[in-house]
Amino acid sequence: EVTYTGRKPPQSWKGSPAEDRLDLDTLDQAATHFEGSARQAATLYPKNANVAAAVALAGAGFEATKVRLIADPGIAANIHEVKASGAFGSFTFHIEGRALPDNPRSSALAAMSVVAAIERQQSAIVILGIAFGYPVYPHCRPCADPPETASAQASDRCRPAG
């Protein structure tokens, strides 16, 4: 069983179906405005439920992942909690991300994740210490030989790592 709970300040839910279920301007305590599957959440809240969709894709799937979305005037961060249990045991993790000033639906963590993903795509592909068929050593990428036995050809191929 996998459950994702998304808790955000009321202004983060503006422009979403939460406005039809709650008075976001006068809310004085936390209120759940959605409970259902990750598929339903992603369909109804396309600008707010991206973490629910990611959890579903990474785990039990869109139908099996349960989602609860909460507007909470008592918090300043976007809070994501995932609980999972099964034959393996159970786990819970909790993430609090500061909302972006220009887009309170998202957090700085999301923006930093995009930057990190782009940086990873720009770097050389390294799998199990081998890049493009050559061994990889900490000092260079890619090299055929370690530095103490490097041939002239291998030295020509070496580029500084990082």
Side-chain angles (χ1 to χ4, degrees), residues 13 15-18 20-21 33-54 56 62-63 65 67 69:
W13 298 108
S16 79
D20 300 332
R21 295 174 174 89
H33 55 86
F34 174 84
E35 286 190 83
S37 71
R39 183 175 310 284
Q40 293 167 316
T43 301
L44 293 171
Y45 295 84
K47 295 180 181 178
N48 297 84
N50 57 346
V51 176
F62 279 90
E63 295 304 328
T65 302
V67 175
L69 302 177

Side-chain angles (χ1 to χ4, degrees), residues 18-103:
E19 284 186 307
D20 300 332
R21 295 174 174 89
L22 302 172
D23 184 349
L24 297 172
D25 293 323
T26 62
L27 197 63
D28 61 356
Q29 62 182 0
T32 299
H33 55 86
F34 174 84
E35 286 190 83
S37 71
R39 183 175 310 284
Q40 293 167 316
T43 301
L44 293 171
Y45 295 84
K47 295 180 181 178
N48 297 84
N50 57 346
V51 176
V55 169
L57 286 169
F62 279 90
E63 295 304 328
T65 302
K66 297 175 185 173
V67 175
R68 179 180 306 113
L69 302 177
I70 301 169
D72 187 345
I75 61 171
N78 294 339
I79 300 173
H80 308 283
E81 186 175 80
V82 176
K83 293 183 178 183
S85 61
F88 66 90
S90 65
F91 70 82
T92 299
F93 68 87
H94 177 99
I95 300 170
E96 292 189 31
R98 291 191 184 118
L100 291 172
D102 295 340
N103 180 4

